[in-house]
Amino acid sequence: MLNFALFGAGRIGKMHAKNIQSMAQANLKYVFDVYAPAAQDVAAANGAQAISTIDEVLNDSEVDAVLIATSTDTHVDLIIQAAKAGKAILCEKPIDLDTEIVNRCLDEIKECQVPIQIGFNRRYDPSHAAAAKAAQDGGLGKLEQVVITSRDPGMAPVEYLKSSGGIFRDMIIHDFDMARFVLNEEIVEVQAIGSALVDEKITEIGDVDSAMLIMKSESGKLVHVNGSRRASYGYDQRVEVFCEGGMAISNNQTATSLERYTKHTTQEKAPLHNFFIDRYEDAYNLQLISFIENVEAGTPVTPSFEDGRRAQMLADAAQKSLETGEKVVLAWS
Amino acid sequence: MLNFALFGAGRIGKMHAKNIQSMAQANLKYVFDVYAPAAQDVAAANGAQAISTIDEVLNDSEVDAVLIATSTDTHVDLIIQAAKAGKAILCEKPIDLDTEIVNRCLDEIKECQVPIQIGFNRRYDPSHAAAAKAAQDGGLGKLEQVVITSRDPGMAPVEYLKSSGGIFRDMIIHDFDMARFVLNEEIVEVQAIGSALVDEKITEIGDVDSAMLIMKSESGKLVHVNGSRRASYGYDQRVEVFCEGGMAISNNQTATSLERYTKHTTQEKAPLHNFFIDRYEDAYNLQLISFIENVEAGTPVTPSFEDGRRAQMLADAAQKSLETGEKVVLAWS
Amino acid sequence: MLNFALFGAGRIGKMHAKNIQSMAQANLKYVFDVYAPAAQDVAAANGAQAISTIDEVLNDSEVDAVLIATSTDTHVDLIIQAAKAGKAILCEKPIDLDTEIVNRCLDEIKECQVPIQIGFNRRYDPSHAAAAKAAQDGGLGKLEQVVITSRDPGMAPVEYLKSSGGIFRDMIIHDFDMARFVLNEEIVEVQAIGSALVDEKITEIGDVDSAMLIMKSESGKLVHVNGSRRASYGYDQRVEVFCEGGMAISNNQTATSLERYTKHTTQEKAPLHNFFIDRYEDAYNLQLISFIENVEAGTPVTPSFEDGRRAQMLADAAQKSLETGEKVVLAWS
Amino acid sequence: MLNFALFGAGRIGKMHAKNIQSMAQANLKYVFDVYAPAAQDVAAANGAQAISTIDEVLNDSEVDAVLIATSTDTHVDLIIQAAKAGKAILCEKPIDLDTEIVNRCLDEIKECQVPIQIGFNRRYDPSHAAAAKAAQDGGLGKLEQVVITSRDPGMAPVEYLKSSGGIFRDMIIHDFDMARFVLNEEIVEVQAIGSALVDEKITEIGDVDSAMLIMKSESGKLVHVNGSRRASYGYDQRVEVFCEGGMAISNNQTATSLERYTKHTTQEKAPLHNFFIDRYEDAYNLQLISFIENVEAGTPVTPSFEDGRRAQMLADAAQKSLETGEKVVLAWS
């Protein structure tokens, strides 16, 4: 049984609280949020205790793990404190928008032997995981190309996006992680293009809402990612692995398996899942189960802090390529 | 908050216990099973109390509802006792294999004003429910034909099937209920054929393992059901509604949305869900939620005892048609 | 090179003329129609000669084969004359609406050693043929159930249907042949139900527009056919074979492989092919090629006159079952 | 009726000869090939005359059009001669591997008022054409992204590829044309990466066998193409258009609509069409019909010589980007 403290009681924090509470092998003890009423609501709904400072958590030896779902700019500070207090950590992505700060965080905690898992939940999606497995288990021969489609259902207000770090660090970072997960090796070249096609006001904040990437891995495998802040037909999430002996596609999913036939169309299905909480419901649960099992067994959690840092560096490279129009080469050594 | 007692701690009882316990609006208080260790295990896993007689339940005024998941031959007795004790009842199908006994049960409890819901969970499957809605909401015009495919993944031993009541009362009864649900009117003619194709030993117990039905409703709509005790590719569960202005199919579902392309085949998907606990996971939960909400609101539960009785009568008619080779006409008055 | 005379220059005759003419191994020499201008048009469009009596054909020793695509009531007379003149015959289905007349035809021609192929073109559809092959080649184990969906896109005027022989002899006769083709054994029991759901005026002519059948083969395999005179979403033509080790479905086809995703629906495809000339374009050509090749090689043509007669007898049985409400048993001796 | 001369009697010439001959509105008069027996075979099979020099064609005033299907290095010379002789021209892609030569050809023929159509047949594929229409007809709102998958079923010997001009000029040139067709505006930025993943010997001839592109159009739309010389599951040809209000995908096609369900996989379909002659059968015919109709009506043929030249320039740009690692900007003015 793992005792959790949850930091952050917003939309995603609420979901995590429910997931923790539904598991026999986990218990939610504390909920913290800078906005106290949010913490109180989530705590009450899940039989936990709302707290107003995180010290209570850090000093309570019964707390085994913290789940960090606060705003991005607080992640690093909370990671450092929790790590120094010896708590296992499951932190939402990204670690921070600034890789320098991520690196400094790493320095600070390098002596702490706590497990830190970054919330790239899509690795735990059964269909994406099956695609990654197909890319690596040899059944289709060696992997040659990866094509990832990543389109959010709707665009947040430009005002909000201002502090998002840009489309690569905020949104496509998931796909950098997915690419690394599927490839099972590092990406060494990144080229990016982008446009303001959904809302041209996005250019005022130096960002784009539509982007395409081509990347090359150490052994020469090719990767494409296309992303958009708005897909009118729902949350479009596909991973295609093209191999020597075949191909596997983790395709989109609909809420029901109903197909409709009418005078004008056939085999119509329902719209895609609206967004991540619906689409990745299983992934969020499986991510948590994996974290719990590894923490209890003392085995490594995954994806790791270093996975989070590397996805971040790929996002930085993409941003640089977008801005300079040039290929960015990464040396990982 | 509804307090439940669970009668029956076998495979399906275990699932119900977990479902009850995962819901904020329900609590599992007692678990009973004739085999005490089973009751103890399920009770322990869900924070409930194992009991050795049902009297404790019937005398405990805190118990609002009983969920009956014991063997079929005990259903009627438990329904009568629970109804007389004023408990709301959710009973697994079928009520009994013998319609006479079902009718006598009805006589016994007709003064009891308790809600009784029969566990035809498939009505709550989101895809089948969407098909039923498509058949009735007018968007596709009036309904004309219903085609139901109902094939279990694997056949139980003939020895076990001996006391099952036959393929119609044991297995296809779900499809009689589905047909009535989708049609929204009564079936008045039934013709059935069957064969022993999976295991010819089934003939020794006077049963068949493969069956086909054609039926007609009051207004002349046509219904087909085909069933088999064994589909090697998994649990095949489809509902097709053919209407004046189009068609809707509640199609099969696979565990992932992965599609594979190889030298010999393309668009391969994973096998179908193995059986009802996987395939109808949502349906079992939604059935329970509906029961809880209706009991708490004092509104009618559905499907009702009468729905259970009528599906039973259709199963009887099918059995009679199989045996006589003749069309059986039902008058519902 | 096979020289053809075409009898009948209506819609389907026109298609056959074009198919014959497009083949390197065939030549269209004559076109006959009771309505001379139709014959002239089709002859002109295909470099053939329009004729006003069939004697020219029967006396022309250069003519190897006749393709009969006239109205049903003339088939038998033309078959007899052509057979006696020693011509190979490809005759559209049905041979005649009256099985007695078919039997008399058989008597008349039994000494003629000419190849006679009946136009059950669907046997030559690559997808249906693949389903039949899957049912028989052992890869899926032994066949247990066949489910055929057969829905025309639109209903002809009731006035026209008056002389059609009824839904079984006119339309579903194709499916009786398909069932025999897929089963590779005889059907021995037939039960049918039907309703007037599309246009209730059909009852005035003693017919139905919607029908369902269940049938059993010699070895106990089960067959279902459902049919409708009108499917608003196009020509619905499916063949499902359920076997010991798996299932194969010859599914519907759309004109393009375009899939559309919108706010309200996903994976929308184009409507189904409108009707037989589009849907079975390949089948009509492959049927003709098979006829030509077998005639030239002196090998048996298929489906044979006897296949045509047996499908007819199944249609009679279905009609009788519909009228009497009883199972009809066939003895094939 | 358009009289054709065919130059080139190889695999694709043979197909064109058959297509011309099957059309009522066209006639194949001459067949020329540097290898006389090939010309004779194709001429004989299609009722045409084999010739040993093209002068006979150019001097025969009955010849309306020439179809050029010879080796690429002869295209320009044949175009110039035929244009000067006043013949309408349908020329296989590419015009030439060297854009300088294409430009000189343009200079030479600029006074000739003959229609010249380049054989980018995929524009005529009904599914790709439907995708292009969906991108432009406004039903899905304005176009934002195009994703093209272009994978050949198998790789030609490296020895043969030596003179192919490289993957972009030889193979992906079709996709540059498709991108321009779907976009309906020019591409102004090209970035390419590539690897030798199928056969590393390809590097010895300075080529790659796997490539990815990202491109931007004048108005900022984003385009991705991925290509491979070898897809083990068949000829993978997809066009996806992502728009403001939805998405359309021209998906792959299989030879039959059969779906198989087995113990290990479900919804298996047949392999994809093997290669272009099967996959684009309709497209080749529709391309020819369009050419004939436009030539006869005196309306512009499409895609034009200029379309051919521009696809060529995009291939050059891609090649340059691959070699330099830099973005190539095109000014079309």
Side-chain angles (χ1 to χ4, degrees), chain A residues 30-74:
Chain A
Y30 298 111
V31 179
F32 165 82
D33 197 285
V34 287
Y35 180 60
Q40 282 151 14
D41 281 359
V42 171
N46 293 282
Q49 185 183 340
I51 48 170
S52 54
T53 73
I54 64 162
D55 293 341
E56 285 170 79
V57 168
L58 304 177
N59 296 329
D60 183 343
S61 64
E62 283 191 349
V63 172
D64 306 297
V66 300
L67 197 161
I68 303 175
T70 51
S71 63
T72 298
D73 58 346
T74 65

Side-chain angles (χ1 to χ4, degrees), chain B residues 116 122 158 251 257 302 306 328:
Chain B
I116 307 183
R122 296 182 195 175
V158 170
N251 218 332
S257 54
T302 176
E306 184 62 15
V328 175

